[in-house]
Amino acid sequence: MTDGSWVVVVPAKSFTAAKTRCVGLDPAQRRGLARAMLLDVVGELIRARRVRAVVVAATDPEVVGAALSTGAVVAGSTRGPDLNREVLDALTIAGEALPDARLAVAMADLAGARPTDYDAVLAAAGSHPRAIVSDDDGTGTTMVTLTVPGEFRPFLGADSRRRFLADGYHDLPVTAPGLRRDVDTVAHLRSLGMDRLGGATRSWAGSSVPTANRPTRSVA
């Protein structure tokens, strides 16, 4: 695919309801982490050469405000707080607005993904009508790529990798740790290392997480 040929949808639930598996963080810390990761994911996607536009699928006013502050487009949904339905609505809007673009979905908690990571995976995805990036645990999905909105299947959630593969999606051989590690727990965050985190998440970790639980800096 040529540069700027992808529209990426980022689904984002309410910051208050996000990151409930981050044991040891209080509600305000979880909310701050969810916001910081969304800012970083959208910001890194916007800087990727192969991304034409970023659409955040959200209805919560706080999330909408944060997304708009990054320069992303926001697509709401009237069909209730269902992640898969919100994604499908956002993909449909994106497909209608830019019918020549390829479509992708990226999770809002890829705190360690960089523009070059997104460019590499989208370049590889260009050879496949439908594809996924599996998470580091081997059960979930961190990105989905497709050609038209109607090809999206409501498989996001538990055991999504198996269901996408059973439906014929190609599993992209991604090695970039930032794309395979979606942050659901504090341990996931630590595994990425402070140097890999995006700026907003790194700032949050430096001020909000006890020293013993913070990601460590790499040693040359």
Side-chain angles (χ1 to χ4, degrees), residues 169-203:
Y169 281 72
H170 177 77
D171 197 4
L172 295 169
V174 174
T175 59
L179 279 182
R180 289 176 55 83
R181 180 71 282 160
D182 50 334
V183 175
D184 290 323
T185 67
V186 174
H188 291 164
L189 191 68
R190 291 188 65 200
S191 72
L192 288 169
M194 186 72 85
D195 292 342
R196 174 164 281 278
L197 298 179
T201 308
R202 188 166 58 248
S203 177

PDB file of all heavy atoms in Angstrom, residues 169-203:
ATOM      1  N   TYR A 169      -9.096 -14.760   9.036  1.00  0.00           N
ATOM      2  CA  TYR A 169      -8.136 -13.662   9.136  1.00  0.00           C
ATOM      3  C   TYR A 169      -6.718 -14.204   9.187  1.00  0.00           C
ATOM      4  O   TYR A 169      -6.458 -15.251   9.782  1.00  0.00           O
ATOM      5  CB  TYR A 169      -8.399 -12.831  10.399  1.00  0.00           C
ATOM      6  CG  TYR A 169      -9.539 -11.849  10.278  1.00  0.00           C
ATOM      7  CD1 TYR A 169     -10.869 -12.295  10.248  1.00  0.00           C
ATOM      8  CD2 TYR A 169      -9.316 -10.483  10.208  1.00  0.00           C
ATOM      9  CE1 TYR A 169     -11.920 -11.406  10.139  1.00  0.00           C
ATOM     10  CE2 TYR A 169     -10.361  -9.584  10.110  1.00  0.00           C
ATOM     11  CZ  TYR A 169     -11.659 -10.050  10.072  1.00  0.00           C
ATOM     12  OH  TYR A 169     -12.700  -9.163   9.977  1.00  0.00           O
ATOM     13  N   HIS A 170      -5.797 -13.485   8.557  1.00  0.00           N
ATOM     14  CA  HIS A 170      -4.388 -13.865   8.556  1.00  0.00           C
ATOM     15  C   HIS A 170      -3.706 -13.333   9.807  1.00  0.00           C
ATOM     16  O   HIS A 170      -3.906 -12.177  10.197  1.00  0.00           O
ATOM     17  CB  HIS A 170      -3.698 -13.294   7.314  1.00  0.00           C
ATOM     18  CG  HIS A 170      -2.228 -13.580   7.250  1.00  0.00           C
ATOM     19  ND1 HIS A 170      -1.734 -14.820   6.888  1.00  0.00           N
ATOM     20  CD2 HIS A 170      -1.146 -12.790   7.509  1.00  0.00           C
ATOM     21  CE1 HIS A 170      -0.416 -14.776   6.927  1.00  0.00           C
ATOM     22  NE2 HIS A 170      -0.035 -13.564   7.293  1.00  0.00           N
ATOM     23  N   ASP A 171      -2.905 -14.171  10.449  1.00  0.00           N
ATOM     24  CA  ASP A 171      -2.165 -13.767  11.654  1.00  0.00           C
ATOM     25  C   ASP A 171      -0.816 -13.190  11.228  1.00  0.00           C
ATOM     26  O   ASP A 171       0.057 -13.923  10.762  1.00  0.00           O
ATOM     27  CB  ASP A 171      -1.967 -14.984  12.561  1.00  0.00           C
ATOM     28  CG  ASP A 171      -1.595 -14.590  13.983  1.00  0.00           C
ATOM     29  OD1 ASP A 171      -1.566 -13.379  14.286  1.00  0.00           O
ATOM     30  OD2 ASP A 171      -1.329 -15.506  14.787  1.00  0.00           O
ATOM     31  N   LEU A 172      -0.659 -11.882  11.352  1.00  0.00           N
ATOM     32  CA  LEU A 172       0.578 -11.233  10.901  1.00  0.00           C
ATOM     33  C   LEU A 172       1.736 -11.566  11.839  1.00  0.00           C
ATOM     34  O   LEU A 172       1.582 -11.498  13.060  1.00  0.00           O
ATOM     35  CB  LEU A 172       0.379  -9.720  10.841  1.00  0.00           C
ATOM     36  CG  LEU A 172      -0.638  -9.220   9.810  1.00  0.00           C
ATOM     37  CD1 LEU A 172      -0.945  -7.755  10.039  1.00  0.00           C
ATOM     38  CD2 LEU A 172      -0.115  -9.439   8.394  1.00  0.00           C
ATOM     39  N   PRO A 173       2.913 -11.900  11.285  1.00  0.00           N
ATOM     40  CA  PRO A 173       4.070 -12.264  12.108  1.00  0.00           C
ATOM     41  C   PRO A 173       4.772 -11.028  12.670  1.00  0.00           C
ATOM     42  O   PRO A 173       5.862 -10.651  12.235  1.00  0.00           O
ATOM     43  CB  PRO A 173       4.964 -13.030  11.124  1.00  0.00           C
ATOM     44  CG  PRO A 173       4.662 -12.400   9.795  1.00  0.00           C
ATOM     45  CD  PRO A 173       3.195 -12.036   9.835  1.00  0.00           C
ATOM     46  N   VAL A 174       4.149 -10.384  13.634  1.00  0.00           N
ATOM     47  CA  VAL A 174       4.671  -9.140  14.196  1.00  0.00           C
ATOM     48  C   VAL A 174       5.611  -9.443  15.361  1.00  0.00           C
ATOM     49  O   VAL A 174       5.287 -10.241  16.239  1.00  0.00           O
ATOM     50  CB  VAL A 174       3.513  -8.246  14.678  1.00  0.00           C
ATOM     51  CG1 VAL A 174       4.035  -7.017  15.402  1.00  0.00           C
ATOM     52  CG2 VAL A 174       2.648  -7.848  13.495  1.00  0.00           C
ATOM     53  N   THR A 175       6.775  -8.806  15.360  1.00  0.00           N
ATOM     54  CA  THR A 175       7.726  -8.993  16.452  1.00  0.00           C
ATOM     55  C   THR A 175       7.830  -7.775  17.360  1.00  0.00           C
ATOM     56  O   THR A 175       8.345  -7.875  18.469  1.00  0.00           O
ATOM     57  CB  THR A 175       9.131  -9.307  15.895  1.00  0.00           C
ATOM     58  OG1 THR A 175       9.555  -8.225  15.045  1.00  0.00           O
ATOM     59  CG2 THR A 175       9.123 -10.605  15.109  1.00  0.00           C
ATOM     60  N   ALA A 176       7.364  -6.615  16.914  1.00  0.00           N
ATOM     61  CA  ALA A 176       7.471  -5.394  17.717  1.00  0.00           C
ATOM     62  C   ALA A 176       6.720  -5.577  19.040  1.00  0.00           C
ATOM     63  O   ALA A 176       5.498  -5.761  19.037  1.00  0.00           O
ATOM     64  CB  ALA A 176       6.900  -4.203  16.950  1.00  0.00           C
ATOM     65  N   PRO A 177       7.429  -5.523  20.183  1.00  0.00           N
ATOM     66  CA  PRO A 177       6.756  -5.758  21.464  1.00  0.00           C
ATOM     67  C   PRO A 177       5.669  -4.746  21.766  1.00  0.00           C
ATOM     68  O   PRO A 177       4.670  -5.075  22.416  1.00  0.00           O
ATOM     69  CB  PRO A 177       7.901  -5.676  22.482  1.00  0.00           C
ATOM     70  CG  PRO A 177       8.989  -4.910  21.803  1.00  0.00           C
ATOM     71  CD  PRO A 177       8.872  -5.258  20.355  1.00  0.00           C
ATOM     72  N   GLY A 178       5.815  -3.523  21.293  1.00  0.00           N
ATOM     73  CA  GLY A 178       4.806  -2.513  21.565  1.00  0.00           C
ATOM     74  C   GLY A 178       3.478  -2.795  20.908  1.00  0.00           C
ATOM     75  O   GLY A 178       2.429  -2.339  21.386  1.00  0.00           O
ATOM     76  N   LEU A 179       3.479  -3.548  19.807  1.00  0.00           N
ATOM     77  CA  LEU A 179       2.230  -3.887  19.123  1.00  0.00           C
ATOM     78  C   LEU A 179       1.592  -5.162  19.665  1.00  0.00           C
ATOM     79  O   LEU A 179       0.409  -5.395  19.470  1.00  0.00           O
ATOM     80  CB  LEU A 179       2.471  -4.053  17.621  1.00  0.00           C
ATOM     81  CG  LEU A 179       2.528  -2.774  16.791  1.00  0.00           C
ATOM     82  CD1 LEU A 179       2.712  -3.119  15.322  1.00  0.00           C
ATOM     83  CD2 LEU A 179       1.265  -1.948  16.972  1.00  0.00           C
ATOM     84  N   ARG A 180       2.370  -5.981  20.313  1.00  0.00           N
ATOM     85  CA  ARG A 180       1.851  -7.243  20.827  1.00  0.00           C
ATOM     86  C   ARG A 180       1.484  -7.181  22.312  1.00  0.00           C
ATOM     87  O   ARG A 180       0.872  -8.101  22.842  1.00  0.00           O
ATOM     88  CB  ARG A 180       2.859  -8.363  20.587  1.00  0.00           C
ATOM     89  CG  ARG A 180       2.968  -8.751  19.122  1.00  0.00           C
ATOM     90  CD  ARG A 180       4.041  -9.807  18.900  1.00  0.00           C
ATOM     91  NE  ARG A 180       3.857 -10.985  19.723  1.00  0.00           N
ATOM     92  CZ  ARG A 180       3.042 -12.007  19.444  1.00  0.00           C
ATOM     93  NH1 ARG A 180       2.317 -11.960  18.340  1.00  0.00           N
ATOM     94  NH2 ARG A 180       2.942 -13.035  20.238  1.00  0.00           N
ATOM     95  N   ARG A 181       1.851  -6.081  22.965  1.00  0.00           N
ATOM     96  CA  ARG A 181       1.582  -5.968  24.397  1.00  0.00           C
ATOM     97  C   ARG A 181       0.567  -4.880  24.683  1.00  0.00           C
ATOM     98  O   ARG A 181       0.874  -3.718  24.821  1.00  0.00           O
ATOM     99  CB  ARG A 181       2.878  -5.668  25.147  1.00  0.00           C
ATOM    100  CG  ARG A 181       2.753  -5.519  26.662  1.00  0.00           C
ATOM    101  CD  ARG A 181       2.481  -6.831  27.360  1.00  0.00           C
ATOM    102  NE  ARG A 181       1.077  -7.240  27.251  1.00  0.00           N
ATOM    103  CZ  ARG A 181       0.659  -8.494  27.428  1.00  0.00           C
ATOM    104  NH1 ARG A 181       1.515  -9.462  27.678  1.00  0.00           N
ATOM    105  NH2 ARG A 181      -0.634  -8.777  27.337  1.00  0.00           N
ATOM    106  N   ASP A 182      -0.704  -5.265  24.725  1.00  0.00           N
ATOM    107  CA  ASP A 182      -1.727  -4.335  25.194  1.00  0.00           C
ATOM    108  C   ASP A 182      -1.707  -4.365  26.725  1.00  0.00           C
ATOM    109  O   ASP A 182      -1.540  -5.409  27.334  1.00  0.00           O
ATOM    110  CB  ASP A 182      -3.104  -4.700  24.644  1.00  0.00           C
ATOM    111  CG  ASP A 182      -3.466  -6.162  24.851  1.00  0.00           C
ATOM    112  OD1 ASP A 182      -2.541  -6.996  24.948  1.00  0.00           O
ATOM    113  OD2 ASP A 182      -4.666  -6.476  24.917  1.00  0.00           O
ATOM    114  N   VAL A 183      -1.837  -3.222  27.332  1.00  0.00           N
ATOM    115  CA  VAL A 183      -1.625  -3.089  28.772  1.00  0.00           C
ATOM    116  C   VAL A 183      -2.944  -3.270  29.520  1.00  0.00           C
ATOM    117  O   VAL A 183      -3.790  -2.381  29.531  1.00  0.00           O
ATOM    118  CB  VAL A 183      -0.988  -1.724  29.108  1.00  0.00           C
ATOM    119  CG1 VAL A 183      -0.894  -1.540  30.624  1.00  0.00           C
ATOM    120  CG2 VAL A 183       0.386  -1.614  28.471  1.00  0.00           C
ATOM    121  N   ASP A 184      -3.106  -4.436  30.127  1.00  0.00           N
ATOM    122  CA  ASP A 184      -4.284  -4.711  30.951  1.00  0.00           C
ATOM    123  C   ASP A 184      -3.954  -4.710  32.439  1.00  0.00           C
ATOM    124  O   ASP A 184      -4.857  -4.592  33.270  1.00  0.00           O
ATOM    125  CB  ASP A 184      -4.888  -6.066  30.587  1.00  0.00           C
ATOM    126  CG  ASP A 184      -5.544  -6.062  29.221  1.00  0.00           C
ATOM    127  OD1 ASP A 184      -6.162  -5.029  28.870  1.00  0.00           O
ATOM    128  OD2 ASP A 184      -5.420  -7.060  28.498  1.00  0.00           O
ATOM    129  N   THR A 185      -2.664  -4.883  32.764  1.00  0.00           N
ATOM    130  CA  THR A 185      -2.238  -4.947  34.160  1.00  0.00           C
ATOM    131  C   THR A 185      -0.990  -4.107  34.355  1.00  0.00           C
ATOM    132  O   THR A 185      -0.314  -3.738  33.384  1.00  0.00           O
ATOM    133  CB  THR A 185      -1.925  -6.393  34.579  1.00  0.00           C
ATOM    134  OG1 THR A 185      -0.765  -6.850  33.858  1.00  0.00           O
ATOM    135  CG2 THR A 185      -3.091  -7.341  34.273  1.00  0.00           C
ATOM    136  N   VAL A 186      -0.670  -3.836  35.609  1.00  0.00           N
ATOM    137  CA  VAL A 186       0.558  -3.103  35.911  1.00  0.00           C
ATOM    138  C   VAL A 186       1.775  -3.916  35.472  1.00  0.00           C
ATOM    139  O   VAL A 186       2.774  -3.367  34.999  1.00  0.00           O
ATOM    140  CB  VAL A 186       0.637  -2.772  37.416  1.00  0.00           C
ATOM    141  CG1 VAL A 186       1.987  -2.143  37.767  1.00  0.00           C
ATOM    142  CG2 VAL A 186      -0.491  -1.830  37.818  1.00  0.00           C
ATOM    143  N   ALA A 187       1.692  -5.243  35.586  1.00  0.00           N
ATOM    144  CA  ALA A 187       2.800  -6.097  35.140  1.00  0.00           C
ATOM    145  C   ALA A 187       3.028  -5.942  33.639  1.00  0.00           C
ATOM    146  O   ALA A 187       4.173  -5.943  33.169  1.00  0.00           O
ATOM    147  CB  ALA A 187       2.504  -7.558  35.485  1.00  0.00           C
ATOM    148  N   HIS A 188       1.964  -5.823  32.859  1.00  0.00           N
ATOM    149  CA  HIS A 188       2.113  -5.589  31.416  1.00  0.00           C
ATOM    150  C   HIS A 188       2.856  -4.280  31.161  1.00  0.00           C
ATOM    151  O   HIS A 188       3.736  -4.205  30.300  1.00  0.00           O
ATOM    152  CB  HIS A 188       0.734  -5.508  30.750  1.00  0.00           C
ATOM    153  CG  HIS A 188       0.013  -6.805  30.712  1.00  0.00           C
ATOM    154  ND1 HIS A 188      -1.335  -6.884  30.455  1.00  0.00           N
ATOM    155  CD2 HIS A 188       0.445  -8.088  30.860  1.00  0.00           C
ATOM    156  CE1 HIS A 188      -1.705  -8.165  30.465  1.00  0.00           C
ATOM    157  NE2 HIS A 188      -0.647  -8.905  30.712  1.00  0.00           N
ATOM    158  N   LEU A 189       2.509  -3.262  31.919  1.00  0.00           N
ATOM    159  CA  LEU A 189       3.156  -1.961  31.755  1.00  0.00           C
ATOM    160  C   LEU A 189       4.639  -2.066  32.074  1.00  0.00           C
ATOM    161  O   LEU A 189       5.496  -1.565  31.344  1.00  0.00           O
ATOM    162  CB  LEU A 189       2.483  -0.935  32.662  1.00  0.00           C
ATOM    163  CG  LEU A 189       2.858   0.530  32.443  1.00  0.00           C
ATOM    164  CD1 LEU A 189       2.326   1.016  31.102  1.00  0.00           C
ATOM    165  CD2 LEU A 189       2.304   1.390  33.577  1.00  0.00           C
ATOM    166  N   ARG A 190       4.957  -2.730  33.154  1.00  0.00           N
ATOM    167  CA  ARG A 190       6.362  -2.890  33.559  1.00  0.00           C
ATOM    168  C   ARG A 190       7.152  -3.662  32.513  1.00  0.00           C
ATOM    169  O   ARG A 190       8.331  -3.392  32.282  1.00  0.00           O
ATOM    170  CB  ARG A 190       6.447  -3.601  34.907  1.00  0.00           C
ATOM    171  CG  ARG A 190       5.939  -2.798  36.092  1.00  0.00           C
ATOM    172  CD  ARG A 190       6.236  -3.514  37.393  1.00  0.00           C
ATOM    173  NE  ARG A 190       7.677  -3.603  37.607  1.00  0.00           N
ATOM    174  CZ  ARG A 190       8.271  -4.476  38.433  1.00  0.00           C
ATOM    175  NH1 ARG A 190       7.544  -5.363  39.090  1.00  0.00           N
ATOM    176  NH2 ARG A 190       9.568  -4.475  38.583  1.00  0.00           N
ATOM    177  N   SER A 191       6.507  -4.631  31.861  1.00  0.00           N
ATOM    178  CA  SER A 191       7.230  -5.475  30.906  1.00  0.00           C
ATOM    179  C   SER A 191       7.707  -4.686  29.691  1.00  0.00           C
ATOM    180  O   SER A 191       8.658  -5.092  29.020  1.00  0.00           O
ATOM    181  CB  SER A 191       6.334  -6.632  30.452  1.00  0.00           C
ATOM    182  OG  SER A 191       5.292  -6.186  29.595  1.00  0.00           O
ATOM    183  N   LEU A 192       7.054  -3.573  29.405  1.00  0.00           N
ATOM    184  CA  LEU A 192       7.461  -2.770  28.254  1.00  0.00           C
ATOM    185  C   LEU A 192       8.719  -1.968  28.526  1.00  0.00           C
ATOM    186  O   LEU A 192       9.507  -1.710  27.614  1.00  0.00           O
ATOM    187  CB  LEU A 192       6.318  -1.816  27.863  1.00  0.00           C
ATOM    188  CG  LEU A 192       5.109  -2.464  27.204  1.00  0.00           C
ATOM    189  CD1 LEU A 192       3.961  -1.469  27.116  1.00  0.00           C
ATOM    190  CD2 LEU A 192       5.470  -2.997  25.820  1.00  0.00           C
ATOM    191  N   GLY A 193       8.923  -1.560  29.763  1.00  0.00           N
ATOM    192  CA  GLY A 193      10.081  -0.725  30.089  1.00  0.00           C
ATOM    193  C   GLY A 193       9.771   0.748  29.874  1.00  0.00           C
ATOM    194  O   GLY A 193       9.073   1.124  28.937  1.00  0.00           O
ATOM    195  N   MET A 194      10.280   1.589  30.734  1.00  0.00           N
ATOM    196  CA  MET A 194       9.982   3.018  30.707  1.00  0.00           C
ATOM    197  C   MET A 194      10.373   3.661  29.383  1.00  0.00           C
ATOM    198  O   MET A 194       9.669   4.533  28.860  1.00  0.00           O
ATOM    199  CB  MET A 194      10.707   3.713  31.863  1.00  0.00           C
ATOM    200  CG  MET A 194      10.365   5.184  32.037  1.00  0.00           C
ATOM    201  SD  MET A 194       8.708   5.443  32.702  1.00  0.00           S
ATOM    202  CE  MET A 194       9.044   5.306  34.462  1.00  0.00           C
ATOM    203  N   ASP A 195      11.492   3.249  28.796  1.00  0.00           N
ATOM    204  CA  ASP A 195      11.985   3.896  27.584  1.00  0.00           C
ATOM    205  C   ASP A 195      11.071   3.673  26.387  1.00  0.00           C
ATOM    206  O   ASP A 195      11.085   4.459  25.437  1.00  0.00           O
ATOM    207  CB  ASP A 195      13.398   3.404  27.240  1.00  0.00           C
ATOM    208  CG  ASP A 195      14.427   3.862  28.255  1.00  0.00           C
ATOM    209  OD1 ASP A 195      14.125   4.810  29.000  1.00  0.00           O
ATOM    210  OD2 ASP A 195      15.525   3.277  28.305  1.00  0.00           O
ATOM    211  N   ARG A 196      10.305   2.604  26.397  1.00  0.00           N
ATOM    212  CA  ARG A 196       9.445   2.308  25.247  1.00  0.00           C
ATOM    213  C   ARG A 196       8.106   3.012  25.360  1.00  0.00           C
ATOM    214  O   ARG A 196       7.426   3.204  24.344  1.00  0.00           O
ATOM    215  CB  ARG A 196       9.251   0.792  25.118  1.00  0.00           C
ATOM    216  CG  ARG A 196       8.257   0.392  24.040  1.00  0.00           C
ATOM    217  CD  ARG A 196       8.352  -1.045  23.664  1.00  0.00           C
ATOM    218  NE  ARG A 196       9.474  -1.277  22.777  1.00  0.00           N
ATOM    219  CZ  ARG A 196       9.455  -1.061  21.466  1.00  0.00           C
ATOM    220  NH1 ARG A 196       8.384  -0.573  20.890  1.00  0.00           N
ATOM    221  NH2 ARG A 196      10.513  -1.311  20.742  1.00  0.00           N
ATOM    222  N   LEU A 197       7.693   3.405  26.536  1.00  0.00           N
ATOM    223  CA  LEU A 197       6.379   4.007  26.711  1.00  0.00           C
ATOM    224  C   LEU A 197       6.275   5.334  25.980  1.00  0.00           C
ATOM    225  O   LEU A 197       7.254   6.078  25.856  1.00  0.00           O
ATOM    226  CB  LEU A 197       6.098   4.235  28.201  1.00  0.00           C
ATOM    227  CG  LEU A 197       6.054   3.001  29.088  1.00  0.00           C
ATOM    228  CD1 LEU A 197       5.797   3.419  30.534  1.00  0.00           C
ATOM    229  CD2 LEU A 197       4.993   2.020  28.613  1.00  0.00           C
ATOM    230  N   GLY A 198       5.066   5.646  25.516  1.00  0.00           N
ATOM    231  CA  GLY A 198       4.813   6.950  24.938  1.00  0.00           C
ATOM    232  C   GLY A 198       4.947   8.032  25.998  1.00  0.00           C
ATOM    233  O   GLY A 198       4.924   7.759  27.210  1.00  0.00           O
ATOM    234  N   GLY A 199       5.061   9.265  25.564  1.00  0.00           N
ATOM    235  CA  GLY A 199       5.344  10.361  26.475  1.00  0.00           C
ATOM    236  C   GLY A 199       4.315  10.535  27.577  1.00  0.00           C
ATOM    237  O   GLY A 199       4.662  10.740  28.747  1.00  0.00           O
ATOM    238  N   ALA A 200       3.022  10.485  27.243  1.00  0.00           N
ATOM    239  CA  ALA A 200       1.984  10.686  28.250  1.00  0.00           C
ATOM    240  C   ALA A 200       1.973   9.541  29.264  1.00  0.00           C
ATOM    241  O   ALA A 200       1.831   9.773  30.474  1.00  0.00           O
ATOM    242  CB  ALA A 200       0.614  10.812  27.579  1.00  0.00           C
ATOM    243  N   THR A 201       2.135   8.312  28.790  1.00  0.00           N
ATOM    244  CA  THR A 201       2.145   7.164  29.697  1.00  0.00           C
ATOM    245  C   THR A 201       3.395   7.175  30.558  1.00  0.00           C
ATOM    246  O   THR A 201       3.351   6.851  31.754  1.00  0.00           O
ATOM    247  CB  THR A 201       2.048   5.845  28.914  1.00  0.00           C
ATOM    248  OG1 THR A 201       0.937   5.903  28.021  1.00  0.00           O
ATOM    249  CG2 THR A 201       1.869   4.670  29.860  1.00  0.00           C
ATOM    250  N   ARG A 202       4.521   7.540  29.983  1.00  0.00           N
ATOM    251  CA  ARG A 202       5.766   7.635  30.756  1.00  0.00           C
ATOM    252  C   ARG A 202       5.645   8.681  31.857  1.00  0.00           C
ATOM    253  O   ARG A 202       6.081   8.471  32.992  1.00  0.00           O
ATOM    254  CB  ARG A 202       6.932   7.957  29.816  1.00  0.00           C
ATOM    255  CG  ARG A 202       8.290   7.897  30.496  1.00  0.00           C
ATOM    256  CD  ARG A 202       9.410   7.881  29.468  1.00  0.00           C
ATOM    257  NE  ARG A 202       9.375   9.042  28.593  1.00  0.00           N
ATOM    258  CZ  ARG A 202       9.098   9.013  27.301  1.00  0.00           C
ATOM    259  NH1 ARG A 202       8.803   7.850  26.714  1.00  0.00           N
ATOM    260  NH2 ARG A 202       9.100  10.115  26.573  1.00  0.00           N
ATOM    261  N   SER A 203       5.045   9.809  31.525  1.00  0.00           N
ATOM    262  CA  SER A 203       4.843  10.854  32.526  1.00  0.00           C
ATOM    263  C   SER A 203       3.909  10.380  33.625  1.00  0.00           C
ATOM    264  O   SER A 203       4.160  10.618  34.821  1.00  0.00           O
ATOM    265  CB  SER A 203       4.278  12.106  31.850  1.00  0.00           C
ATOM    266  OG  SER A 203       3.996  13.111  32.786  1.00  0.00           O
TER     267      SER A 203
END
